[in-house]
Every structure is written in structure tokens, then in C-alpha cells.
Amino acid sequence: MRPVHVDPKHARAIARGHPWVYRQAIAEKPRALRNGDAVDLATDGRPFLGRGIYDAQSPVAVRVWTQRDDERLDDELFARRFREARLLRKALAIPARTEAYRVVNAEGDRMPGVLVDRWGEWLTLTLQTPSLRPWRDKLVAALAEALPSRGIYVHDDDRCALHHGEPAPEPLVVREPSCTVEVDPGSATKPGLFTDMREIRARLAPRLAKRRFLNLFAHTGAWSAAAAAAGAEAVMSVDLSGPYLDAAARNVELSAPGY
């Protein structure tokens, strides 16, 4: 591992578990470090602070993956972190009717810069930084081993491509407790559903029965679909995008046939 020396006044945060080393915190670094290189962090009096991945472009110069000297950045570590994230979601008791949710949430699951979203039997692996590109194949292989799926898409910058398994059908229909919607896990922009609103949709949807519901900035209409399924008296979706409004109409029909 290439050593990166951290200024002592910044080292305390890293020692307490902060996953980012900002560029101004680096006192010394080896020459010719490449984007994506694995590095060891050290400071005065501490030859090992942690191990992470170097980013040559971001203000975050190193994303810390482990503070254990006996843990290497390899397939085994990636697979273990993926399995731990899966077990955490199982412990959270996500409702059985939920087919779309975040499986891995970057630093929150000790996988800095890595997001994984489930869309039914397909997964989307998002690399939040170009420094993870050299690790892409190892991450895909570890994800395929730890979370079986029919296919894995990799979303990187403005590109998205299938890297494992078979492509998802078009459209792919997934369910939440409050609605049923179409998604596109291979989309280079947005897949069609903001899963972080799942719980609040499920909580509020029953209160919309027999009410008139206006959905502004409707996107693909998951809220409209939830309101219709809950028995809202009337639902209106408003968005600047014609394709999004078309998708919203389809999602309302999927969630509340004949509405």
C-alpha cells in the first residue's frame, strides 16, 4: 500500500471513524498516485490510521474503507460489506410487498462512494466517484456473490450499462406498500422512483382517501399512484415533462386499475 501522511490536527477525526480525508488534510503524499490507488493513512506517532481509495480529482482525497490493518481492499472485503448491508435491511423488516429500496447506502454501510438499489430481481450499482472505476469489476463480482439477482447494472457518471446477468424487461414493474410503478434500472438519468419516500408514502397514503390530491413536480407520479390506490376522490399530476406525465398516468392505472 502507498502511504499518505495526514496532518495530526486532521488525524483525530479519522481515528474517530470519519470516512473522508480532505485534500488540505494531507501533509505528505507519495508522488505519482493514480486515481483509484489503494493507500494507507499515517500520521505522526501512528504508522497506521486506516486504509482507503485515493481520489485525484475530488476535494475528498481519500475515502476510508477500514481502520483495521488486517483488512485488505479486495473481493472478500467487498462481499462481506455487501452481505452486512443485506442483513441490516433484513433486520429492518422491510415490508414483503416492497420490491424497490436501497440496499447499500455508501458511507452509511462502510462502502464510501458505493450505492446499490434493488428493483425487483435487478440491482443498480452506482459509483459516486471516478476513483472507483478501477474497482468496478471486483465490486460487481462481489455484489453478484453476496446479493443474488437476475442482473446488475452499473451507473457511472452519465452512463449506465448491464455488467452481469440478463437485462430487465422494459418496462419493469415494481411494488411498494402504497403503489405499483414502472422503473428502468438501466436508465442513465433517473430510474423512475424515489425510494427514499417509500415509508412516508405508505404512512400518508391512507389519509388521502376521499380527498382531492394535487401532486406538483410529480415526476413519474408515485405519489399520484399512491393517492389513487388509497381512494382519493381526485388526483391531479403537474410536471414540465410530458414523458413523466405519461408515466404518471400509467402508474396510476397500475396502482388503481380503472381510476
Side-chain angles (χ1 to χ4, degrees):
M1 296 291 173
R2 308 288 296 279
V4 170
H5 194 82
V6 179
D7 189 290
K9 69 179 181 180
H10 296 283
R12 290 190 296 272
I14 301 166
R16 290 195 296 265
H18 198 287
W20 290 355
V21 181
Y22 289 99
R23 198 160 303 279
Q24 64 266 30
I26 296 178
E28 300 175 35
K29 72 176 179 68
R31 294 183 179 181
L33 268 180
R34 298 168 301 175
N35 209 29
D37 278 352
V39 296
D40 278 356
L41 302 171
T43 192
D44 294 352
R46 292 192 64 172
F48 182 82
L49 272 175
R51 181 167 292 132
I53 294 175
Y54 181 72
D55 193 320
Q57 300 164 328
S58 169
V60 180
V62 180
R63 288 171 171 81
V64 184
W65 278 71
T66 182
Q67 292 179 282
R68 290 175 48 181
D69 197 10
D70 61 345
E71 280 191 326
R72 313 297 291 179
L73 298 186
D74 55 19
D75 310 58
E76 181 181 345
L77 176 63
F78 296 155
R80 183 165 67 253
R81 295 284 167 83
F82 282 135
R83 287 194 295 268
E84 288 169 353
R86 180 195 65 195
L87 291 173
L88 176 59
R89 272 64 184 175
K90 184 177 181 180
L92 291 173
I94 295 173
R97 196 177 183 273
T98 298
E99 297 174 334
Y101 57 92
R102 179 148 292 174
V103 183
V104 176
N105 197 33
E107 285 79 0
D109 287 298
R110 298 189 299 157
M111 301 194 77
V114 176
L115 302 175
V116 179
D117 293 299
R118 177 173 290 284
W119 310 103
E121 297 181 272
W122 281 265
L123 302 171
T124 299
L125 167 67
T126 300
L127 307 181
Q128 293 186 298
T129 164
S131 63
L132 288 171
R133 288 174 184 165
W135 302 87
R136 182 194 64 197
D137 292 345
K138 287 183 179 294
L139 286 165
V140 170
L143 180 59
E145 184 271 324
L147 283 83
S149 65
R150 291 178 63 179
I152 299 173
Y153 290 88
V154 175
H155 189 270
D156 178 8
D157 198 12
D158 59 351
R159 298 164 293 180
C160 191
L162 184 70
H163 280 261
H164 176 81
E166 62 185 82
E170 298 181 11
L172 174 63
V173 176
V174 296
R175 300 180 303 166
E176 283 190 348
S178 62
C179 61
T180 301
V181 299
E182 297 176 354
V183 295
D184 179 5
S187 171
T189 54
K190 298 176 182 177
L193 180 67
F194 292 110
T195 58
D196 58 343
M197 293 187 174
R198 177 189 71 251
E199 292 180 343
I200 194 168
R201 270 194 291 267
R203 186 175 301 173
L204 292 182
R207 303 183 185 183
L208 303 178
K210 299 182 181 180
R211 294 175 179 266
R212 298 168 62 83
F213 183 71
L214 174 62
N215 187 7
L216 300 176
F217 310 99
H219 190 227
T220 58
W223 273 101
S224 300
E233 179 182 311
V235 173
M236 177 176 289
S237 303
V238 178
D239 200 280
L240 286 175
S241 169
Y244 280 167
L245 290 176
D246 292 340
R250 293 194 300 271
N251 289 334
V252 167
E253 177 63 24
L254 284 169
S255 300
Y259 186 83

